[in-house]
């Protein structure tokens, strides 16, 4: 049920923001998602590859949260699809996002991306080692 509510919320956000595909959306810069997590993406190179950092605001780990490196790529198009991964420095887990960048009617960028988080577990707990979710990111100054 929670996933359906989240998907409805994302759909509503897209409708409220409007839709415009006039200018290229680059992932370079600082972004924040609906949970308050922040990511910074360095310059996207001529092939679409980039690096950056991610500071999550949520975790099931009892360790102190610290900034972690990310690496990824985007298509070099107006509203590109993208993918990036974060190797968490405070937990034995890894998260990958895939999604798309959009422009709203005011020219602002936002990202919608699905994620998979895989935590290290004994084989007997493999069934519960992967979580799935969705985030919406907006550009921050």
């Amino acid at each position: 049920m929670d996933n359906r509510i989240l998907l409805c919320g994302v759909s509503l956000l897209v409708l409220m923001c409007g839709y415009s595909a006039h200018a290229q959306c680059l992932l370079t810069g600082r972004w924040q998602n609906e949970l308050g997590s922040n990511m910074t993406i360095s310059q996207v190179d001529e092939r679409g590859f980039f690096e950056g950092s991610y500071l999550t605001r949520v975790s099931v780990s009892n360790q102190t949260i610290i900034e972690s490196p990310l690496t990824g790529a985007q298509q070099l198009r107006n509203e590109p699809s993208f993918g990036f991964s974060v190797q968490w420095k405070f937990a034995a887990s890894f998260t990958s996002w895939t999604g798309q960048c959009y422009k709203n009617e005011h020219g602002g960028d936002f990202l919608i991306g699905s994620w998979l988080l895989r935590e290290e577990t004994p084989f007997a707990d493999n069934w519960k080692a992967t979580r799935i979710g969705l985030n919406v990111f907006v550009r921050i100054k």
Side-chain angles (χ1 to χ4, degrees), residues 20-113:
S20 174
H22 299 298
Q24 185 174 18
C25 179
L26 290 175
L27 272 62
T28 301
R30 296 178 58 217
W31 300 87
Q32 186 173 75
N33 71 17
E34 72 281 1
L35 301 173
S37 298
N38 293 300
M39 75 173 164
T40 302
I41 296 177
S42 65
Q43 188 65 38
V44 177
D45 73 20
E46 68 280 351
R47 298 174 302 151
F49 293 99
F50 57 83
E51 294 180 344
S53 60
Y54 197 102
L55 182 60
T56 186
R57 293 288 180 227
V58 295
S59 175
V60 296
S61 169
N62 59 2
Q63 302 296 313
T64 301
I65 294 172
I66 59 173
E67 191 172 70
S68 298
L70 72 80
T71 184
Q74 74 165 79
Q75 297 292 331
L76 299 175
R77 303 174 57 81
N78 285 345
E79 292 187 319
S81 56
F82 63 83
F84 64 88
S85 296
V86 175
Q87 178 185 6
W88 302 110
K89 292 300 183 186
F90 61 90
S93 59
F94 206 91
T95 304
S96 294
W97 283 258
T98 186
Q100 190 169 348
C101 183
Y102 294 100
K103 292 274 191 187
N104 66 26
E105 62 188 13
H106 305 292
D109 300 329
F110 63 99
L111 310 175
I112 297 177

Side-chain angles (χ1 to χ4, degrees), residues 113-133:
S114 300
W115 54 264
L116 292 172
L117 181 147
R118 173 66 187 213
E119 69 178 307
E120 190 176 292
T121 62
F123 179 72
D125 291 332
N126 185 61
W127 66 272
K128 65 178 182 177
T130 302
R131 294 179 179 87
I132 301 169

